[in-house]
């Protein structure tokens, strides 16, 4: 497994490998500068890291990965760069997105929708405006007792997904005490699902290509 993402306290710290995870794990306030500058920097670093590892074909194997074998992961504040990347044409062919304890937006995680409307220009990571542009399967996991990023954030994003997969709402779990075994099992099932979906797409593409060659040879 390699790394995709930019390391930082509140930037992206992800993995690329397996179905190839590229993720963002937000854990703090990040670098110096205004919130807007930090946000743009996180976005640019995440997109740049993804682009540098992106390959046009699954083979030959190496450090890069074809987007169809990439699953993006974002946790907490790190869901911002993850959702931003997943919503862009650059990542249109990725296999899936995993969001753990995601924020609906910076303001909505801390305050409420009214505050997010009043301070729209200053609100960072407005995931609620982007998640609907993500065309791949998305799984959301959230603790119902989360006092840092309340569970209504995850539920709101789930309702906005184009292709939501079975969510995981964990009773009595907080922001930093999600049961690892339960989370890992849910992620394993999701990765198996997206792998099956990718295999079906490859089989359909192969049939179409074979049919095209057969028709051309007959002609």
């Amino acid at each position: 497994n390699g790394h995709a993402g930019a390391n930082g306290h509140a930037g992206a710290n992800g993995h690329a490998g397996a179905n190839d995870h590229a993720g963002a794990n937000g854990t703090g306030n990040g670098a110096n500068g205004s919130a807007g500058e930090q946000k743009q920097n996180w976005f640019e670093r995440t997109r740049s890291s993804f682009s540098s590892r992106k390959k046009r074909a699954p083979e030959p194997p190496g450090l890069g990965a074809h987007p169809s074998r990439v699953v993006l992961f974002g946790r907490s504040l790190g869901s911002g760069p993850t959702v931003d990347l997943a919503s862009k044409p650059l990542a249109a062919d990725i296999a899936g997105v995993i969001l753990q304890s995601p924020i609906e937006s910076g303001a909505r995680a801390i305050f409420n929708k009214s505050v997010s409307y009043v301070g729209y220009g200053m609100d960072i990571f407005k995931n609620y405006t982007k998640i609907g542009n993500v065309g791949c399967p998305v799984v959301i996991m959230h603790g119902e007792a989360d006092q840092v990023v309340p569970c209504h954030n995850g539920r709101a994003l789930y309702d906005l997904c184009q292709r939501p997969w079975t969510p995981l709402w964990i009773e009595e779990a907080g922001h930093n005490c999600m049961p690892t075994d339960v989370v890992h099992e849910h992620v394993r099932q999701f990765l198996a699902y997206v792998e099956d979906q990718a295999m079906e797409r490859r089989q359909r593409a192969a049939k179409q290509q074979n049919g095209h060659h057969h028709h051309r040879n007959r002609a």
Side-chain angles (χ1 to χ4, degrees), residues 39-194:
K39 176 184 70 174
Q40 193 59 37
N41 188 33
W42 294 329
F43 286 163
E44 290 175 355
R45 287 191 297 173
T46 304
R47 295 172 193 167
S48 175
S49 181
F50 180 80
S51 296
S52 69
R53 294 185 54 84
K54 180 178 177 181
K55 282 193 173 181
R56 294 183 178 180
E59 301 294 342
L63 292 178
H66 188 267
S68 65
R69 293 193 55 79
V70 172
V71 171
L72 301 182
F73 172 83
R75 176 183 179 273
S76 189
L77 187 62
S79 64
T82 300
V83 172
D84 175 75
L85 173 58
S87 69
K88 301 300 182 185
L90 171 68
D93 296 327
I94 61 172
V97 173
I98 300 169
L99 299 177
Q100 181 177 329
S101 311
I103 61 172
E104 194 177 357
S105 78
R108 293 188 181 189
I110 301 173
F111 303 107
N112 53 47
K113 288 186 177 182
S114 298
V115 172
S116 71
Y117 292 140
V118 173
Y120 186 86
M122 296 181 290
D123 190 7
I124 65 170
F125 300 148
K126 293 185 277 288
N127 288 338
Y128 67 91
T129 67
K130 300 177 181 180
I131 193 72
N133 295 324
V134 178
C136 63
V138 177
V139 62
I140 296 178
M141 305 176 292
H142 217 125
E144 293 184 333
D146 194 327
Q147 299 298 310
V148 178
V149 179
C151 191
H152 67 74
N153 285 262
R155 292 184 183 277
L157 292 179
Y158 173 80
D159 289 339
L160 294 172
C161 287
Q162 283 188 40
R163 298 177 62 188
W165 194 74
T166 307
L168 180 63
W169 315 122
I170 305 179
E171 187 177 359
E172 298 183 358
H175 194 69
N176 296 310
C177 58
M178 296 277 280
T180 303
D181 55 340
V182 176
V183 169
H184 285 181
E185 175 58 23
H186 202 68
V187 169
R188 186 194 66 77
Q189 294 178 17
F190 178 70
L191 293 178
Y193 168 76
V194 297

